[in-house]
Amino acid sequence: MVKQKATNLEQVFEVGGEIPETLATLDAVSELASSKSIAFFKVDCDKARNVSAVLRAIVKTVDYPSFFGSDIEALLDCLNETSSDQKKGMVLWLNQLHSADEALRDFSRQLNIILDDAAKFAGSKGRHFIYYVEHVGPHEAPEPGKAPARY
């Protein structure tokens, strides 16, 4: 069976999974999620320079317990539990993931697999799991002699 690509946001929200880049506008997605009573989580990944920082950003945004395992398998558990806890499901918007950074390159490939698995799990439980990952270039190199800002 060949899965057809959604041609509009309504279709994405019906079947779940990844929002195509051509349909990905933050305001439209968050408004549609709100109108359908689907939880919307926007994760700010801009400052994350390694896998651990991205995982922490996701866990903090979805308000997952502090005993999170901090690895890719724990992320899947986190997403599955979070989508199950929602009445209708969830939208996960990963904003400005610097997937071109050497420390995040392999992780960004694994992340898409995990997000697809979370979407399948949610669908099997009668929930929606919709996601978008905004991939951006690498972080700028730090200026010599200048300490990075702490956040």
Side-chain angles (χ1 to χ4, degrees):
M1 184 167 118
V2 177
K3 188 175 179 183
Q4 294 182 346
K5 290 282 186 183
T7 57
N8 64 48
L9 276 179
E10 288 283 343
Q11 289 177 339
V12 174
F13 273 72
E14 285 175 23
V15 298
E18 184 175 18
I19 299 169
E21 189 172 353
T22 57
L23 303 176
T25 60
L26 180 62
D27 291 339
V29 171
S30 65
E31 286 174 20
L32 187 56
S34 177
S35 73
K36 294 184 174 289
S37 300
I38 296 175
F40 181 84
F41 299 99
K42 179 184 171 203
V43 182
D44 182 12
C45 299
D46 188 39
K47 296 175 184 127
R49 292 183 174 267
N50 57 45
V51 174
S52 178
V54 173
L55 294 175
R56 282 192 314 270
I58 293 170
V59 169
K60 181 179 177 184
T61 300
V62 301
D63 196 25
Y64 198 68
S66 60
F67 53 85
F68 176 74
S70 294
D71 61 23
I72 202 83
E73 289 82 20
L75 175 61
L76 182 57
D77 292 342
C78 165
L79 297 175
N80 288 344
E81 285 187 40
T82 303
S83 67
S84 294
D85 288 346
Q86 309 306 314
K87 286 183 179 180
K88 294 186 177 182
M90 64 184 279
V91 175
L92 186 69
W93 184 284
L94 296 174
N95 196 52
Q96 296 188 341
L97 178 66
H98 290 271
S99 51
D101 281 358
E102 188 174 331
L104 295 173
R105 201 169 293 134
D106 290 338
F107 170 73
S108 68
R109 288 185 212 106
Q110 293 176 324
L111 180 61
N112 281 343
I113 294 167
I114 293 297
L115 294 172
D116 282 338
D117 287 348
K120 289 175 190 168
F121 177 83
S124 75
K125 301 295 182 188
R127 302 243 181 340
H128 300 278
F129 184 87
I130 300 128
Y131 67 92
Y132 179 71
V133 181
E134 180 187 11
H135 295 281
V136 294
H139 281 100
E140 292 183 19
E143 290 184 43
K146 183 177 179 185
R150 298 272 182 209
Y151 297 100

